Amino acid sequence: MHGSLNLIGYGLASIGSAIGVGLIFAAYINGVARQPEAQRILQPIALLGFALAEALAILALVFAFVIGA
């Protein structure tokens, strides 16, 4: 049970990231459905939010392997 706790922590971090990505794109779809002309303004914001949420998940993966070494 030496390295498994790190991977459990990463699993929890990736669940949080997945929920964040889901909320980001739900808000994006809701905004575009309400005002289709705002799509070109909302799309870069949604993609930036997606990239930041995924970067946190990748950072958690790196920390899980670094701490486990």
Side-chain angles (χ1 to χ4, degrees), residues 13-24:
S14 64
I15 288 172
S17 176
I19 291 171
V21 168
L23 289 175
I24 288 167

Side-chain angles (χ1 to χ4, degrees), residues 2-69:
H2 179 260
S4 63
L5 292 178
N6 291 336
L7 296 179
I8 290 172
Y10 169 67
L12 291 175
S14 64
I15 288 172
S17 176
I19 291 171
V21 168
L23 289 175
I24 288 167
F25 283 114
Y28 169 69
I29 290 170
N30 192 13
V32 171
R34 289 179 186 262
Q35 290 187 338
E37 66 272 6
Q39 188 232 353
R40 65 185 181 93
I41 296 170
L42 294 176
Q43 188 173 12
I45 296 170
L47 291 178
L48 178 65
F50 167 74
L52 290 175
E54 286 299 316
L56 288 176
I58 293 170
L59 190 64
L61 177 65
V62 169
F63 284 155
F65 283 121
V66 167
I67 291 173

